Amino acid sequence: MKISGAIFDMDGTLLNSTEMWQGAASRYITSLRKTPEPALGEKTKAMTLSELCKYLKDEYRIATTEEKIAKGFNSVLREDYLESVDIKEYVPILLEKFKQKGIAMCITTSTDKAIADEILARLGIRDYFMHIVTCEESGGGKEDPEVFINAHRMLGTPKEETVVIEDGVLAIRGAKEAGFTVIAIADDSEKENESEIKELADQYIESFEELL
């Protein structure tokens, strides 16, 4: 397949950050001196930021606005990103290879755009991507095809020459529903979904070394 465009997920795909991301909601709730439910990260991982804030406000009876909850959650998330998140092996080499081949690239993410911009810049890879497209601005979670349709519209590459590179089963379902070719990369957080991911994806890789 000729590739002229690539839509990359960020957390769990480019970055070793899935576990941190899923734990951010619990850390935020703990900061309010409340006790988070054990499966909070799993339950909310596919939500947009607005969906997450509404859920936390209702479930934990937080007596403030959803806007202030979002600010508090993003503060926790940003601190975690800057302290503990690193890039996955071979990512810089792959991005440089794609750049040299003239492949247009963008990011789709559930993370706040300003935070995504900051962490990608810190890791030295922000300039490889034309756009960062968030679930929030697309109006749905990663299981919603719209985020991938939006990203592709911004890339402007032929659909048949555009790949989505993802690790999460929900996002892979969304990308396939949108009609994209999907390369799935292994991530420990999706071990229990590995069989379904392999069935859904057009290609499954254990490491980006396989694409070099």
Side-chain angles (χ1 to χ4, degrees):
M1 170 187 174
K2 178 184 176 183
I3 299 176
S4 60
I7 300 170
F8 283 89
D9 170 51
M10 189 173 78
D11 295 296
T13 298
L14 295 173
L15 311 182
N16 285 309
S17 54
T18 310
E19 185 176 343
M20 178 280 298
W21 210 103
Q22 290 185 19
S26 292
R27 287 189 289 279
Y28 170 68
I29 292 300
T30 300
S31 75
L32 302 179
R33 298 183 179 179
K34 295 176 181 287
T35 303
E37 59 202 282
L40 179 59
E42 185 64 27
K43 185 176 289 187
T44 60
K45 70 178 183 179
M47 292 182 181
T48 64
L49 181 59
S50 60
E51 290 170 341
L52 171 66
C53 292
K54 184 180 186 308
Y55 177 83
L56 296 179
K57 180 177 174 63
D58 293 345
E59 188 72 15
Y60 293 92
R61 300 181 181 180
I62 302 173
T64 189
T65 64
E66 291 175 22
E67 289 77 12
K68 287 185 178 179
I69 293 173
K71 185 176 181 180
F73 173 79
N74 279 333
S75 178
V76 170
L77 192 64
R78 178 181 178 276
E79 184 176 333
D80 288 345
Y81 268 121
L82 295 178
E83 285 185 359
S84 60
V85 170
D86 204 354
I87 201 164
K88 280 195 172 181
E89 193 174 16
Y90 300 108
V91 164
I93 301 171
L94 178 70
L95 296 179
E96 183 61 27
K97 179 179 179 179
F98 276 19
K99 178 184 176 180
Q100 294 302 321
K101 287 187 172 184
I103 297 172
M105 295 175 277
C106 71
I107 296 279
T108 58
T109 183
S110 299
T111 299
D112 175 81
K113 182 175 284 188
I115 295 175
D117 250 319
E118 185 174 11
I119 185 63
L120 293 172
R122 180 178 75 81
L123 294 170
I125 59 173
R126 174 62 184 91
D127 290 345
Y128 285 106
F129 303 103
M130 294 172 59
H131 306 284
I132 296 174
V133 182
T134 68
C135 292
E136 192 72 18
E137 65 190 6
S138 299
K142 271 297 192 75
E143 74 279 11
D144 189 331
E146 194 60 32
V147 66
F148 301 105
I149 294 169
N150 263 358
H152 175 243
R153 188 181 299 121
M154 291 183 180
L155 278 183
T157 53
K159 190 169 186 177
E160 67 274 12
E161 296 178 8
T162 304
V163 296
V164 172
I165 303 176
E166 265 283 0
D167 70 299
V169 66
L170 295 177
I172 291 168
R173 286 179 199 158
K176 292 303 296 181
E177 187 177 337
F180 289 100
T181 297
V182 175
I183 298 173
I185 183 163
D187 190 69
D188 289 343
S189 68
E190 292 286 344
K191 276 293 183 185
E192 62 184 25
N193 300 313
E194 188 174 304
S195 295
E196 182 180 357
I197 288 172
K198 287 180 176 179
E199 287 180 12
L200 286 169
D202 299 277
Q203 183 179 356
Y204 183 86
I205 58 174
E206 294 287 344
S207 163
F208 281 121
E209 186 179 19
E210 296 172 49
L211 299 181
L212 299 179

